[in-house]
Amino acid sequence: MKVNPTVKKIAFVIWFLMVPAGLWFTYKTYPPHLSDNWVDLLAFLLLTTVVAVMPIVINDVFIFVIQWVALATFLRFGLFVEILYAQFAVIALLLKLKVLQKGQLFRLPLNLIMFFLVSFFSGLIYYLLGGQVRPNLSGVPHSLWLAVIYIVLYYSLNQIIISFNLYVIYKSKEPYFGKDFFVETITTLITFPIGFVLYILYNQVGLLAIIFVGVPFVSLSIIFNLYYSSEKINEYLQKAAEIGHQMAERLQVDDVVNLFIQKLCEMLPVDYAYILEVSDNELKLIRHIEAGEVSINELPAFKKDDGIIGTTWSKQKAVFYTARMQWRGIPMNYIPGDVESILCVPIVKSQNVIGVLLLASKRKRAYEKYQLMIVDILCSYFAVAMENAKHYERTKMQSERCALTKLYNYRYFEKVLNEEFERLTTFERNMLSLIILDIDHFKQINDTYGHQSGNEILYELANRLDKLIANRGTVARYGGEEFVVLIPDVTKEDALHMAELIRQSIANWPFTLQQSMDQKQQQVKITVSIGVATAPENAEDALALIRHADRALYVGAKRAGRNRVAEYSSC
């Protein structure tokens, strides 16, 4: 939730003007009852701090239950000590939650003001109603009722200020009476009586009361936190397994990489993410994410032991940093200057590092050690999924591509042609043009220069076609020295113009032979004959389109003298 920058500055000013003056007023008006009990004061301060940094977690809701300690402190030592201890508790709590980061520092004065107002006005009304420090709760019912009123005021003011912060400062649109409210209310009702027990028992046995009451409560908080941590780890493991299954279902390398990085950014606080792959004894960047956006890959490759990423590669060990000072002196490479927390994990397959993943956050202590374990597991899933996707793409390419020219083969072209004709019949396409070309006197080239040189010409011709057509259509090797170009939504006139460009690019620029029979580099000029047909003008089905373009090639171009473009004509 974003907060207006002006409000952030105002929070610091209000705290500076209000809290020190309020503490001075409280000290003078309602002086604390210390009686040189410095050990007792320190014991209560320690208990307050420990309880503050060990919230109870129930259904993913953090409940901060320092109210019962605040009650016992207030009744025993007075309002001044209770306010002072509450300020210490807030500082300890925010440090524990790791929220005092750049841009979030305003939360410190904001929460200090809230606790001050709650403590000050609850205690003030208690005193105005006749309440006393160190009251006799067991023998005087009136004192017990005043303490109950103090509790009700404390809780009510706390809720009022929380709602003000949520809806006025944070502009939240969540309903107030939700799960958090009811869990906190019930927990408060349960824990406040512990404050009475601590106060009464302290009056009777002294500091032993803190051991009898505080230690069991703190132990219970630790148990809850351990249970919560184990639940979180199990939840992460379950998510990791689901992500692993999802990656295994992806058959394209890009899909696997995109899913992997997307899920990591959803699971963890990630401001920057880098996935690098080992290639030619270097780590090359294959994906770079900044603030949720994919960035252009213009970053250099890494060698072994080159900075954090190169060290992770060479040592095959994950790196975990919670603050910038921990890697001071290590080359930053292209890690941005505002990064604080880093997770860098090797991606290992069959005991070989095939890549490196680096996640970075602008926050200090953004990652936990158990998250490193989860990321390591995900990297293992990722390595397997990448290997499977690459194998699938290789197999798919081998089944769809010509091994020599790397163009699509006849089988794939036939499939695309039928699909495009389906679109033509459902009016998704307006027209469909087909260009067929055949190298003139190709047998003579093979006989003169050798079949290896003939293969060189086929390969170079395929490259020229691929560059000329680009993504405007499908280029395939039809068989032998024949090639086809299928171009959707192009008129016959435009197709003829494109065919003429193809013819000129071949006839006007010689082909270089590197491995001719006399083992000398040679330049050879070749020509092609081209036939063009367009559906539905020239054909009503896929086979007719091929047949008519082929007829234009052999009748209109080959028989007419070769090195020319001919269109199909029914006449």
Side-chain angles (χ1 to χ4, degrees):
M1 294 181 284
K2 292 185 177 180
V3 176
N4 191 307
T6 305
V7 174
K8 294 180 181 180
K9 295 175 183 177
I10 291 173
F12 282 96
V13 174
I14 292 176
W15 180 88
F16 183 76
L17 295 175
M18 178 189 294
V19 176
L23 279 169
W24 179 253
F25 172 81
T26 304
Y27 183 81
K28 288 296 184 181
T29 309
Y30 305 103
H33 289 242
L34 303 179
S35 303
D36 297 326
N37 292 330
W38 298 108
V39 175
D40 295 38
L41 283 168
L42 289 174
F44 269 85
L45 176 59
L46 178 62
L47 178 62
T48 302
T49 306
V50 171
V51 172
V53 300
M54 289 188 178
I56 294 176
V57 185
I58 301 175
N59 293 329
D60 290 335
V61 178
F62 284 81
I63 307 299
F64 308 105
V65 286
I66 63 168
Q67 299 95 329
W68 64 275
V69 186
L71 172 62
T73 304
F74 172 73
L75 294 175
R76 179 63 189 181
F77 302 107
L79 181 57
F80 175 80
V81 175
E82 193 277 318
I83 292 176
L84 198 61
Y85 282 15
Q87 301 289 294
F88 276 109
V90 170
I91 295 170
L93 174 60
L94 295 181
L95 289 173
K96 164 71 175 179
L97 295 178
K98 307 173 187 176
V99 298
L100 298 182
Q101 309 289 337
K102 186 178 180 181
Q104 296 293 315
L105 290 175
F106 76 97
R107 295 177 66 174
L108 178 59
L110 192 66
N111 283 277
L112 289 173
I113 291 167
M114 181 183 75
F115 274 78
F116 170 78
L117 291 175
V118 170
S119 298
F120 180 79
F121 284 106
S122 301
L124 185 64
I125 294 172
Y126 171 83
Y127 289 138
L128 291 175
L129 292 175
Q132 301 292 324
V133 179
R134 299 183 185 178
N136 184 1
L137 299 181
S138 57
V140 183
H142 177 70
S143 298
L144 179 62
W145 282 112
L146 286 177
V148 171
I149 291 172
Y150 168 81
I151 292 171
V152 173
L153 286 170
Y154 193 101
Y155 174 76
S156 302
L157 287 171
N158 186 58
Q159 294 302 317
I160 291 170
I161 297 174
I162 287 175
S163 61
F164 175 84
N165 289 345
L166 283 175
Y167 298 109
V168 177
I169 296 177
Y170 290 104
K171 308 294 183 183
S172 174
K173 296 181 180 180
E174 296 292 328
Y176 181 71
F177 295 102
K179 179 178 68 173
D180 294 13
F181 172 81
F182 287 108
V183 171
E184 184 175 354
T185 301
I186 292 169
T187 309
T188 302
L189 291 173
I190 293 172
T191 56
F192 257 128
I194 301 175
F196 284 119
V197 172
L198 176 60
Y199 171 71
I200 295 170
L201 195 59
Y202 173 78
N203 287 335
Q204 296 179 4
V205 300
L207 287 178
L208 286 174
I210 293 179
I211 298 174
F212 293 152
V213 178
V215 171
F217 188 89
V218 170
S219 300
L220 186 63
S221 296
I222 292 172
I223 292 170
F224 269 105
N225 284 330
L226 290 174
Y227 177 74
Y228 173 75
S229 296
S230 64
E231 276 197 328
K232 292 298 290 183
I233 292 172
N234 288 334
E235 182 183 336
Y236 271 111
L237 287 171
Q238 185 176 355
K239 285 182 180 179
E242 291 172 0
I243 295 169
H245 288 307
Q246 291 173 11
M247 287 193 292
E249 293 170 355
R250 301 297 192 273
L251 298 177
Q252 304 294 328
V253 169
D254 281 346
D255 290 345
V256 173
V257 175
N258 291 337
L259 177 66
F260 180 58
I261 201 70
Q262 173 198 339
K263 293 299 182 181
L264 281 171
C265 292
E266 290 175 0
M267 285 177 64
L268 303 170
V270 176
D271 293 307
Y272 306 98
Y274 307 86
I275 301 179
L276 302 98
E277 185 177 32
V278 175
S279 176
D280 300 326
N281 206 32
E282 286 184 326
L283 272 174
K284 296 179 180 178
L285 193 67
I286 60 173
R287 196 69 86 251
H288 175 203
I289 307 292
E290 286 191 13
E293 298 294 328
V294 180
S295 300
I296 299 173
N297 180 11
E298 296 180 349
L299 301 175
F302 282 86
K303 300 290 185 182
K304 282 190 175 181
D305 298 310
D306 187 7
I308 293 173
I309 294 173
T311 303
T312 301
W313 176 22
S314 63
K315 294 186 176 179
Q316 300 189 22
K317 290 182 64 176
V319 174
F320 175 72
Y321 295 118
T322 58
R324 174 184 297 276
M325 61 181 296
Q326 294 178 345
W327 71 77
R328 187 174 297 166
I330 302 175
M332 289 290 288
N333 302 110
Y334 47 66
I335 299 173
D338 57 355
V339 166
E340 289 287 348
S341 301
I342 284 178
L343 277 181
C344 193
V345 181
I347 302 169
V348 181
K349 177 73 168 61
S350 301
Q351 298 183 342
N352 292 318
V353 176
I354 63 170
V356 171
L357 167 72
L358 186 140
L359 304 178
S361 172
K362 299 176 185 178
R363 289 170 40 200
K364 290 182 179 179
R365 299 178 295 278
Y367 306 118
E368 303 288 345
K369 283 191 176 180
Y370 73 85
Q371 291 173 332
L372 179 63
M373 175 192 70
I374 302 298
V375 172
D376 191 37
I377 293 171
L378 279 171
C379 283
S380 298
Y381 286 137
F382 175 70
V384 174
M386 282 286 285
E387 190 69 23
N388 291 340
K390 286 180 179 180
H391 177 72
Y392 172 80
E393 288 188 351
R394 282 195 301 269
T395 305
K396 187 170 183 287
M397 188 184 75
Q398 290 168 0
S399 67
E400 294 178 347
R401 299 271 182 174
C402 165
L404 172 64
T405 64
K406 309 306 178 187
L407 293 178
Y408 289 114
N409 57 26
Y410 173 77
R411 187 186 300 108
Y412 180 82
F413 165 75
E414 197 173 44
K415 179 172 77 75
V416 173
L417 179 62
N418 289 323
E419 289 173 354
E420 290 293 344
F421 245 96
E422 283 292 325
R423 295 188 180 98
L424 194 65
T425 56
T426 57
F427 304 103
E428 294 177 55
R429 299 287 192 205
N430 295 319
M431 57 198 69
L432 194 61
S433 292
L434 178 64
I435 298 171
I436 295 184
L437 61 97
D438 182 87
I439 300 175
D440 297 327
H441 304 297
F442 188 66
K443 183 178 182 302
Q444 184 178 336
I445 294 171
N446 280 334
D447 292 342
T448 305
Y449 301 103
H451 285 85
Q452 183 61 40
S453 296
N455 288 342
E456 286 186 52
I457 287 174
L458 292 173
Y459 181 78
E460 177 59 28
L461 178 57
N463 280 340
R464 293 189 191 185
L465 285 174
D466 200 38
K467 289 176 182 176
L468 277 170
I469 303 303
N471 58 357
R472 289 176 291 180
T474 302
V475 183
R477 185 183 180 189
Y478 195 61
E481 63 269 25
E482 280 192 337
F483 296 83
V484 288
V485 180
L486 185 65
I487 316 168
D489 288 331
V490 168
T491 63
K492 183 185 282 189
E493 289 73 19
D494 289 338
L496 286 167
H497 177 69
M498 191 173 294
E500 180 61 24
L501 286 177
I502 291 171
R503 186 195 69 78
Q504 291 181 17
S505 74
I506 295 169
N508 296 339
W509 282 276
F511 288 68
T512 301
L513 301 181
Q514 304 289 343
Q515 300 182 35
S516 60
M517 286 192 295
D518 57 8
Q519 297 185 351
K520 292 181 180 178
Q521 191 179 88
Q522 295 191 40
Q523 299 248 317
V524 176
K525 279 196 170 187
I526 68 168
T527 61
V528 293
S529 299
I530 303 176
V532 179
T534 301
E537 180 182 343
N538 301 136
E540 295 181 353
D541 58 62
L543 288 177
L545 184 64
I546 295 174
R547 189 170 61 250
H548 293 163
D550 202 45
R551 178 180 174 82
L553 164 66
Y554 282 97
V555 175
K558 289 280 188 184
R559 291 183 185 177
R562 294 182 172 83
N563 189 24
R564 64 188 62 210
V565 175
E567 63 176 300
Y568 172 76
S569 175
S570 58
C571 299

